[in-house]
Amino acid sequence: QHRLLRAAAREPDHHGDTGQKEIVGSMTTSTSVSNPILTETEYFSILINYAVKNKYAVALWKLPNDDVTRLILSKNPKRLASGAPFEDLEPGFIFAPFEASADRIFLNADLVLSFSDGRLNQSSTELKNLSEQWFSENSESSQQAVKELHIGKPLGDYPADTDNFLDLVASAVKDIDRHVFEKVVISRTKTIERKADFDVVDVFQKLRALYSNALISFVSLPDQGSWLGASPELLVSVQDKRIFKTTALAGTQAYSQ
């Protein structure tokens, strides 16, 4: 079962060709097409619904203290081996598992759009221009709330009563004393029935409004399920265009004896 450990995104070069001439569907031209005026919420809903219906992966995110929100659709996400460099990857989004030795999932951007102040940003690259044209020709004309999502394997339920939890904490303390590990976060799962009126776009927008200093992300893949979260931890910092630093997010492992 995959857990979100690190996520990294690459934007198209604002001064050059991305090398991608074909986006989702069969677009091969770069003619500009006028779109009806939609809010970013309407764009999000239309595109997520389209992705789920057509079994595409989708990522929607906003970086900490950034006013720009980005969305990509990926027709065929790729597997990246552990340790594979990603600096030279085409635009996309990396979804990494908790296990350090496991493959990463790279959502290469077949379609990419960005939004500011509630509206679609003007195209600045060929890929974005192609994406806008594709949207004009392929999107549903009416905006609907997102009701269906990609569903992954159940995480399972683990003991949540007080005695079991205290025993687990005591066991963790012993392992720390034995230098099995230096730090561990003990947690429990809680299963909540999704309400009929739950709309992931609405929740994403609320998280964005509440936590401007956090990475807000929604990632949905046909074979991995859907993940929505907000984290204040450092995604990546770049110094002098060559020194990359990152702080791993707290991961989750299945409980076992």
Side-chain angles (χ1 to χ4, degrees):
Q1 182 66 48
H2 283 77
R3 305 289 187 268
L4 183 60
L5 176 62
R6 290 185 295 275
R10 289 183 59 80
E11 277 287 282
D13 185 349
H14 290 274
H15 304 288
D17 191 351
T18 63
Q20 288 186 259
K21 300 295 185 182
E22 183 173 348
I23 61 175
V24 177
S26 58
M27 291 297 305
T28 57
T29 63
S30 59
T31 304
S32 179
V33 176
S34 296
N35 291 325
I37 303 231
L38 300 173
T39 66
E40 63 176 12
T41 297
E42 291 171 329
Y43 273 104
F44 298 164
S45 297
I46 291 170
L47 289 166
I48 293 173
N49 279 325
Y50 183 93
V52 174
K53 179 181 178 180
N54 291 278
K55 301 188 185 311
Y56 296 159
V58 57
L60 173 67
W61 73 96
K62 182 203 75 71
L63 298 178
N65 302 310
D66 189 354
D67 295 329
V68 179
T69 302
R70 298 169 174 86
L71 183 148
I72 66 170
L73 261 60
S74 180
K75 190 173 182 179
N76 295 301
K78 303 174 183 177
R79 294 276 177 171
L80 296 178
S82 175
F86 59 85
E87 288 83 0
D88 296 326
L89 291 173
E90 63 265 32
F93 191 96
I94 294 178
F95 189 62
F98 178 81
E99 297 83 358
S101 61
D103 290 347
R104 283 85 173 102
I105 302 174
F106 176 55
L107 283 66
N108 48 304
D110 293 301
L111 179 145
V112 56
L113 297 171
S114 66
F115 304 82
S116 298
D117 299 321
R119 297 291 178 185
L120 178 68
N121 287 332
Q122 184 176 2
S123 298
S124 56
T125 67
E126 182 178 359
L127 178 56
K128 286 185 177 180
N129 190 43
L130 288 169
S131 298
E132 289 185 29
Q133 184 182 352
W134 173 88
F135 182 86
S136 296
E137 296 184 359
N138 291 273
S139 64
E140 299 284 345
S141 59
S142 60
Q143 178 260 344
Q144 297 179 346
V146 176
K147 299 299 183 183
E148 300 296 329
L149 299 172
H150 293 311
I151 305 299
K153 296 179 180 178
L155 295 178
D157 292 314
Y158 304 103
D161 61 89
T162 301
D163 290 339
N164 279 323
F165 190 73
L166 290 175
D167 289 342
L168 186 59
V169 171
S171 177
V173 171
K174 289 180 180 179
D175 282 340
I176 291 174
D177 290 338
R178 292 167 47 220
H179 304 290
V180 175
F181 38 67
E182 296 180 356
K183 174 184 176 181
V184 63
V185 177
I186 306 299
S187 64
R188 293 168 285 183
T189 62
K190 183 176 182 179
T191 302
I192 300 174
E193 191 72 23
R194 182 158 54 107
K195 296 181 179 179
D197 61 350
F198 176 84
D199 184 351
V200 70
V201 172
D202 179 59
V203 177
F204 179 91
Q205 296 288 49
K206 288 179 179 178
L207 288 173
R208 194 177 66 167
L210 286 170
Y211 307 111
S212 62
N213 65 332
L215 166 67
I216 314 296
S217 64
F218 169 70
V219 187
S220 188
L221 302 97
D223 57 345
Q224 299 297 333
S226 300
W227 304 77
L228 174 68
S231 171
E233 299 183 71
L234 176 65
L235 172 65
V236 65
S237 66
V238 184
Q239 298 176 7
D240 300 326
K241 296 184 178 181
R242 58 190 181 86
I243 301 175
F244 288 76
K245 294 183 180 180
T246 184
T247 301
L249 304 182
T252 302
Q253 283 185 316
Y255 170 78
S256 66
Q257 295 291 344

